[in-house]
Amino acid sequence: MEPIKPKRVALYARVSTEEQADRGYSIEGQKEKIHQYCELYDYKVVDEYVDAGISGKDIIKRPQVQRLLADAEKGKFDEVAVWKINRISRNTKD
């Protein structure tokens, strides 16, 4: 029987303003929480995608979201982990 492989996870973090960083939404804080979650569930973080200082209004203007989407198409990971869903987008259509 083949051993179970851990899920491959892409980590995505974003912060748009200094105010968010001051309120505990910092990039490093988000990454720390996501890494803790992945460690707890034995997931392997295969890459990190970080858009710093960029609004969540439009995914088109965020280079790391675009790279994440391209890598998803290539099958580089199984899941995306974010601290809160609004880090990816405020628009559920995205």
Side-chain angles (χ1 to χ4, degrees):
M1 190 167 153
E2 211 173 299
I4 298 173
K5 294 180 183 178
K7 284 187 183 177
R8 300 169 303 148
V9 174
L11 178 154
Y12 181 76
R14 179 185 64 81
V15 65
S16 61
T17 65
E18 286 298 320
E19 179 183 22
Q20 286 179 334
D22 292 343
R23 289 185 179 177
Y25 302 131
S26 72
I27 295 294
E28 289 307 313
Q30 291 176 51
K31 288 170 51 173
E32 181 181 334
K33 293 292 184 187
I34 295 167
H35 278 285
Q36 288 172 354
Y37 175 85
C38 290
E39 187 175 318
L40 179 65
Y41 290 97
D42 196 30
Y43 296 164
K44 180 181 179 186
V45 176
V46 295
D47 207 344
E48 294 183 1
Y49 303 79
V50 176
D51 283 314
I54 300 176
S55 171
K57 184 177 179 184
D58 185 356
I59 66 169
I60 301 299
K61 296 178 183 176
R62 288 188 273 148
Q64 291 299 296
V65 164
Q66 295 305 310
R67 185 171 74 90
L68 181 139
L69 293 171
D71 287 351
E73 289 285 328
K74 296 173 189 172
K76 290 190 173 185
F77 49 83
D78 304 309
E79 293 182 8
V80 177
V82 294
W83 177 65
K84 285 188 176 182
I85 194 69
N86 68 359
R87 299 299 83 205
I88 291 227
S89 179
R90 291 186 216 129
N91 184 343
T92 55
K93 287 182 183 179
D94 290 337

